[in-house]
Amino acid sequence: MKKYIYSLFFFLITMSLSAQRYSSTLQDYNAYKAFRGKPLSDKFSNIESVKVIYDLRKQKMYYFNSTLIPLHYDFVVNYLRYNYNLEVFNNENYSNTLKNRDFLLGNLNHIKGTDKWIFELAASDRMPIEQIERFFNLVKNSTFIKDDLKFYLNNPDQMEWFHLEQFKIPCVKSDYIFNEIQYQEVVSGNNVGILKKYNIKDLDKTQPNPDEIIVLDGTPEILPNVRGIIVTELQTPLSHLVLLGKNRKIPIMAYTQALKDKNIQKLLSKKVELKIQVDTFFINETNKKIVLKNNSKKKKLTIDNTITDLVDLSKIPKKGVNYIGSKAQNMAYLIAISKEISFKVPENAHAIPFYYYTKHIQKESISPLINELLASTKKDSAVWVNQQLKKIRNAIKKEPIDPELLSKLNFAFKDAKFKNFRFRSSTNAEDLDDFNGAGLYDSKTGIMGDSIKTFEKAIKQVWASVWNEASYNERELFGIDQQNIAMGVLVHRSFPDELANGVVITKNIFRENFPGITVNIQKGENSVVKPAKGEICEQFVAYHLNSGTSDDDFDVDYTSNSNLNNNEPLLSRKEMSQLFLYSKKIEEKMYRYWRKNLFHPVDIEFKIVGENRDLYIKQVRPFND
């Protein structure tokens, strides 16, 4: 009876708080739970949040129902009789002074499944350090959390103050949150399939069936043709797994406990429905029908083999996509844009046209192998297909290259101040609107005059990657005509001295209808798109809240910091602001070159190079989200 009364008591309290829109205190977790909601940003999947306001005039605290009232501005207008517009509210209440400021605004966040509590300001809030500490202590003393509360550093100013040891409150960085993440939405959606478990090391010999949803003990090098994927490693949002998954439109999630989850283990070999959402997932046995995609219609590829000269990309080639590929054509556009905007592009950029690849694979040792593969009835055998692909690659690398091509390259680069050159794939089946081909083909370095890392060896390795398992299988899945695949090669100086490399998406991928770019960056040449196990890259969203262009009006919201850089920022505020402005201008100009009527985000790869920390833009393509 006592247990019943006790449960009823807390039920009534919870219901009362839910009906109540706000409170000046939070006495226990039930009070917090009644007001909690999702953060406005999806940058972390394991956070629940309650919004907090301190009224400076009345000196009163307000914790309010963040599901019913999603914005601080909505609360002050509807409950505190604030009567200025949103622009005035933002300018005065996120400023670096108390003059004209009416409110202190924050979020009280809980890392689900833990005892970790963090207090966070909007990344755009320039609140002085004294007021941050005052606000923090007001929250600490008006809630049940007390000494468990930590302040989360989410922008460059706060990071700098912390570095200078100016804070007198306990502060944490993104690793405090990131280390607790067990679940991550990679590609949202739902699908029905047979749940099966595979080891990564066995995938080169065992091919999952197209009607399966698979659980993997790591991140696959090649994305299998399946209905859904559960991996045990957290992903960077701009990794090749993410981009290829979005392209395929299949649900993918990371769940570090997948191999230990009793429900998942119980459902193995059964037909299940997998539903993946931003902050949770559902997997249940089902009787629903498995619907398999059938790409009976082949996507024809354009190939022009009439161009036999090396193409200088300092001038924009006419219809170059048809004979040097999208990547090389886009480089020519970038070079043209760099003449108007002061970023750098890789020097000595040229393109080897399709002609030389096509001529090479017509040799008697190569062409019959390709024809045998494309006409074979053994394509259901992963082992046979992979063996045949390997034979094709070996044959391509064994045959000598047309000496005329090597002569043209040596002549083009004879006066170059660089000796190391990067040879990059530029096929007619990548960087397209509906097929990005991320990570499918290889890039290699050739050194002028070197007897080991020769230009010839680099070119043949890039050509051979047309017939990598990943690239071949992805084209098959998308119904791309394998007979007319052609490889151009983009050539430019390489970057042995890069300080950092990264990817920009010209969109805030964590918050719908909110401005910004999303940036992933890592120290040195360590990969952002294929990070080594245990590596965490720096990730942030950057935006100009009031559509300004000055560094002072520029805001940065960190999601993670590089663990290869002691969790310290890799870019200065000026460099971040510069990257933002340049990337938005590149987006605008690329869509004029592409003759698109509607703007969509673009995917930009960049490097920070040398003592002067020069910004190099090395690639741009459409972002398929």
Side-chain angles (χ1 to χ4, degrees):
M1 185 67 180
K2 283 184 179 178
K3 185 177 179 182
Y4 171 77
I5 293 171
Y6 182 79
S7 300
L8 179 62
F9 173 73
F10 274 98
F11 173 74
L12 291 173
I13 286 178
T14 303
M15 290 301 291
S16 171
L17 284 166
S18 297
Q20 185 182 332
R21 299 299 174 99
Y22 59 87
S23 174
S24 60
T25 62
L26 295 176
Q27 297 297 328
D28 52 34
Y29 182 64
N30 282 318
Y32 180 89
K33 196 160 64 172
F35 285 165
R36 70 184 175 184
K38 282 176 56 179
L40 291 175
S41 168
D42 294 330
K43 61 184 181 181
F44 295 114
S45 61
N46 59 340
I47 294 289
E48 53 188 2
S49 182
V50 167
K51 287 188 165 43
V52 191
I53 290 178
Y54 181 67
D55 189 325
L56 288 163
R57 313 294 180 206
K58 297 177 182 177
Q59 297 191 14
K60 287 185 68 174
M61 290 286 288
Y62 298 92
Y63 299 91
F64 59 92
N65 192 313
S66 302
T67 300
L68 296 174
I69 311 162
L71 300 175
H72 289 99
Y73 180 71
D74 292 340
F75 184 83
V76 300
V77 168
N78 293 314
Y79 295 91
L80 303 183
R81 298 183 179 178
Y82 183 82
N83 55 10
Y84 294 99
N85 65 32
L86 180 60
E87 185 174 356
V88 172
F89 175 80
N90 285 340
N91 287 337
E92 294 184 350
N93 292 286
Y94 292 102
S95 70
N96 61 0
T97 174
L98 283 182
K99 184 182 179 182
N100 297 325
R101 191 190 266 258
D102 295 297
F103 310 105
L104 302 181
L105 312 168
N107 299 284
L108 179 56
N109 299 331
H110 176 229
I111 305 175
K112 290 187 281 189
T114 76
D115 294 325
K116 290 185 175 182
W117 296 85
I118 52 177
F119 179 60
E120 178 184 18
L121 307 182
S124 56
D125 200 327
R126 304 295 173 82
M127 192 183 296
I129 194 167
E130 297 82 6
Q131 295 307 315
I132 292 175
E133 293 177 338
R134 177 189 179 192
F135 197 10
F136 175 90
N137 286 315
L138 285 166
V139 172
K140 172 183 168 182
N141 295 327
S142 59
T143 67
F144 64 97
I145 302 163
K146 304 303 180 189
D147 291 337
D148 288 336
L149 190 63
K150 304 288 189 291
F151 180 66
Y152 175 53
L153 307 166
N154 66 359
N155 71 32
D157 290 340
Q158 294 167 7
M159 295 270 194
E160 180 65 17
W161 294 336
F162 179 75
H163 184 70
L164 296 173
E165 299 183 351
Q166 294 180 358
F167 275 110
K168 298 172 185 173
I169 55 175
C171 300
V172 295
K173 297 180 183 179
S174 58
D175 57 320
Y176 187 76
I177 305 171
F178 204 84
N179 290 340
E180 298 294 340
I181 295 177
Q182 293 185 347
Y183 166 76
Q184 178 190 36
E185 168 227 22
V186 177
V187 182
S188 61
N190 61 284
N191 239 338
V192 175
I194 307 299
L195 188 65
K196 288 291 184 74
K197 182 173 70 174
Y198 292 90
N199 294 323
I200 291 289
K201 63 181 178 60
D202 297 331
L203 287 181
D204 56 343
K205 299 175 184 175
T206 306
Q207 186 170 307
N209 295 319
D211 64 349
E212 293 176 351
I213 292 171
I214 62 172
V215 182
L216 298 173
D217 60 347
T219 303
E221 284 285 325
I222 301 171
L223 205 60
N225 175 21
V226 290
R227 304 290 292 152
I229 300 176
I230 301 171
V231 297
T232 54
E233 293 176 340
L234 299 175
Q235 304 294 311
T236 60
L238 307 181
S239 72
H240 288 154
L241 176 72
V242 176
L243 297 180
L244 290 172
K246 286 180 182 292
N247 220 34
R248 290 209 198 160
K249 299 179 174 63
I250 59 169
I252 302 177
M253 63 183 248
Y255 179 34
T256 60
Q257 302 301 304
L259 300 179
K260 300 175 184 175
D261 188 291
K262 290 180 181 178
N263 184 48
I264 288 177
Q265 299 307 310
K266 183 179 69 176
L267 292 170
L268 288 173
S269 299
K270 295 180 180 178
K271 184 162 65 170
V272 300
E273 182 174 21
L274 175 65
K275 293 182 180 179
I276 296 175
Q277 298 175 2
V278 169
D279 57 352
T280 191
F281 72 96
F282 304 92
I283 184 165
N284 296 294
E285 193 169 359
T286 184
N287 291 319
K288 290 183 179 179
K289 186 178 179 182
I290 299 173
V291 180
L292 296 177
K293 287 184 179 179
N294 182 17
N295 267 319
S296 55
K297 188 177 180 181
K298 288 285 182 186
K299 180 179 176 65
K300 293 291 181 184
L301 298 175
T302 302
I303 177 169
D304 177 357
N305 283 320
T306 62
I307 306 300
T308 61
D309 285 331
L310 203 60
V311 180
D312 183 350
L313 298 179
S314 63
K315 308 177 194 70
I316 297 176
K318 190 174 181 180
K319 295 184 179 179
V321 172
N322 297 339
Y323 55 86
I324 57 174
S326 293
K327 189 179 289 181
Q329 179 75 24
N330 289 340
M331 176 58 76
Y333 293 146
L334 275 176
I335 292 170
I337 296 169
S338 73
K339 294 172 184 175
E340 303 174 45
I341 307 169
S342 57
F343 63 83
K344 292 196 170 188
V345 289
E347 292 87 348
N348 303 113
H350 286 70
I352 300 170
F354 294 160
Y355 166 80
Y356 289 99
Y357 167 82
T358 305
K359 182 180 178 183
H360 191 76
I361 64 166
Q362 286 172 351
K363 294 181 178 179
E364 289 184 5
S365 66
I366 304 170
S367 181
L369 292 173
I370 294 174
N371 292 335
E372 183 183 4
L373 172 67
L374 300 185
S376 176
T377 58
K378 303 176 187 176
K379 289 184 182 178
D380 289 338
S381 168
V383 173
W384 184 87
V385 169
N386 290 346
Q387 287 174 345
Q388 191 70 7
L389 288 169
K390 187 175 182 179
K391 287 179 184 178
I392 295 170
R393 293 196 301 272
N394 288 340
I396 289 173
K397 287 185 273 191
K398 190 175 180 181
E399 286 287 347
I401 277 181
D402 185 340
E404 183 185 5
L405 171 58
L406 297 174
S407 296
K408 288 180 178 180
L409 283 168
N410 287 323
F411 182 78
F413 300 141
K414 65 182 174 64
D415 297 323
K417 64 177 183 177
F418 305 99
K419 297 299 178 185
N420 292 19
F421 288 85
R422 196 68 172 162
F423 292 76
R424 302 169 60 199
S425 68
S426 183
T427 70
N428 54 354
E430 63 182 312
D431 293 356
L432 306 175
D433 283 341
D434 54 352
F435 186 81
N436 59 33
L440 298 181
Y441 308 102
D442 295 342
S443 297
K444 297 294 177 181
T445 296
I447 302 174
M448 199 163 185
D450 193 88
S451 60
I452 298 173
K453 284 195 167 186
T454 64
F455 282 4
E456 178 171 14
K457 183 178 180 181
I459 293 166
K460 290 193 289 188
Q461 286 175 316
V462 176
W463 280 350
S465 70
V466 169
W467 304 100
N468 283 344
E469 288 89 347
S471 54
Y472 170 80
N473 289 331
E474 202 71 11
R475 293 194 302 269
E476 280 288 289
L477 185 64
F478 277 82
I480 291 174
D481 179 14
Q482 303 274 19
Q483 195 72 53
N484 283 320
I485 180 73
M487 174 72 84
V489 182
L490 169 61
V491 191
H492 54 67
R493 63 147 302 189
S494 69
F495 295 91
D497 57 345
E498 62 188 288
L499 303 175
N501 74 101
V503 179
V504 178
I505 303 299
T506 55
K507 170 184 178 176
N508 184 337
I509 66 173
F510 298 112
R511 186 172 174 183
E512 280 295 323
N513 303 316
F514 198 78
I517 62 171
T518 305
V519 180
N520 276 196
I521 180 170
Q522 187 54 285
K523 185 177 181 178
E525 60 181 17
N526 296 280
S527 179
V528 166
V529 294
K530 286 185 177 180
K533 193 176 181 68
E535 289 184 0
I536 299 173
C537 67
E538 179 171 299
Q539 180 175 287
F540 60 85
V541 172
Y543 53 92
H544 283 277
L545 189 63
N546 295 314
S547 301
T549 57
S550 72
D551 290 350
D552 292 337
D553 187 44
F554 179 72
D555 297 301
V556 175
D557 187 356
Y558 285 107
T559 303
S560 61
N561 301 103
S562 168
N563 61 354
L564 302 183
N565 199 49
N566 297 319
N567 292 311
E568 294 295 328
L570 286 161
L571 297 178
S572 69
R573 187 183 190 87
K574 185 177 182 64
E575 287 170 335
M576 288 185 276
S577 179
Q578 189 181 56
L579 189 61
F580 175 87
L581 293 172
Y582 290 170
S583 62
K584 296 304 286 185
K585 287 178 181 177
I586 290 170
E587 176 192 62
E588 178 185 345
K589 291 184 179 294
M590 287 304 297
Y591 272 86
R592 289 182 186 172
Y593 282 124
W594 290 332
R595 297 183 181 178
K596 305 285 185 185
N597 294 323
L598 295 173
F599 285 107
H600 292 287
V602 294
D603 173 334
I604 297 170
E605 293 187 19
F606 69 94
K607 293 181 183 294
I608 304 295
V609 177
E611 291 182 2
N612 296 327
R613 296 183 63 86
D614 294 318
L615 172 65
Y616 275 81
I617 305 295
K618 57 164 279 199
Q619 182 171 310
V620 62
R621 61 184 171 196
F623 177 63
N624 299 319
D625 62 343

